[in-house]
Amino acid sequence: MSTDTALRSREFPDLFAPRLRRERVVEWQAPGPAAKAAMTMSGIDAMCGIRDGRLPPPPMAKLIGFRMATVEPGRIVMELDAEESLENTIGLLHGATAAALLDTAMGCAISTKLAAGQTSVTLDLKLTYLRPLSAQSGTIQAEGRLIKLGRQTSYTEGFVRDGAGNLAVHATATFSMIGEAPKVK
């Protein structure tokens, strides 16, 4: 055993001890068939279908553990019961958790105003972290709001709040629109 290794083993407890090991199993439905089904529905019908369990949620939602709680025209709220698998090495939720929640909520907020066959993809996402989140933050809510729906580009705003309702993250995003809007006759 090298001097460095011996020193580290005395300095730190066994960080790989069996009692510290965790396991998380994630199950999801293949996204292709659900996406195909959702594209035949209006965006709000697809979002309600996910919320109500008629359509499976995207694999990312299952991986992170968030769920769609509120669906309204131009507004979506996602919820997450944070747990330690989402924490970084300083014991806080990794910033990517909020980013994934907000990107999803804001994109879905756009979807609530789209016709069948239309969708959007993120062009940019700007987040401002205002307070840390952890597994002790309670049920975290991510709200996405549509600011402006455009033919080519749409704009959104998002908010992450901890279980006490405190604003933790604010975001804005721009999305590129895909698919043709129905022609008005």
Side-chain angles (χ1 to χ4, degrees):
M1 184 182 301
S2 74
T3 308
D4 254 7
T5 305
L7 180 61
R8 278 193 302 254
S9 65
R10 283 193 307 268
E11 186 178 358
F12 299 107
D14 183 5
L15 298 177
F16 294 97
R19 68 182 168 73
L20 299 177
R21 191 169 299 128
R22 307 288 190 265
E23 182 176 283
R24 184 168 179 226
V25 177
V26 179
E27 292 183 1
W28 67 90
Q29 297 299 119
K36 188 174 179 180
M39 288 303 282
T40 67
M41 309 166 82
S42 70
I44 197 155
D45 287 343
M47 296 302 106
C48 288
I50 293 169
R51 180 198 62 201
D52 300 340
R54 293 187 317 272
L55 289 174
M60 179 61 101
K62 298 292 277 186
L63 178 66
I64 294 174
F66 60 86
R67 62 199 168 275
M68 193 168 303
T70 303
V71 176
E72 298 171 356
R75 181 176 175 266
I76 292 286
V77 177
M78 301 288 188
E79 290 184 342
L80 171 69
D81 295 320
E83 43 95 10
E84 69 179 2
S85 73
L86 300 173
E87 291 182 345
N88 56 28
T89 56
I90 60 173
L92 300 174
L93 286 191
H94 194 284
T97 305
L101 279 164
L102 285 164
D103 185 47
T104 303
M106 292 188 294
C108 289
I110 292 171
S111 293
T112 64
K113 302 293 261 179
L114 299 181
Q118 290 184 290
T119 191
S120 63
V121 295
T122 310
L123 283 175
D124 68 41
L125 175 65
K126 180 189 182 297
L127 286 84
T128 303
Y129 295 89
L130 304 169
R131 71 174 52 231
L133 295 166
S134 72
Q136 288 73 45
S137 293
T139 299
I140 294 166
Q141 290 193 328
E143 177 184 8
R145 292 184 196 164
L146 176 62
I147 302 300
K148 182 185 183 304
L149 181 65
R151 283 191 341 252
Q152 295 180 328
T153 308
S154 293
Y155 302 92
T156 60
E157 184 174 33
F159 309 88
V160 171
R161 291 184 170 81
D162 64 17
N166 298 308
L167 184 61
V169 185
H170 175 257
T172 57
T174 309
F175 287 78
S176 179
M177 306 308 294
I178 299 173
E180 290 294 318
K183 303 279 190 249
V184 178
K185 295 179 182 181

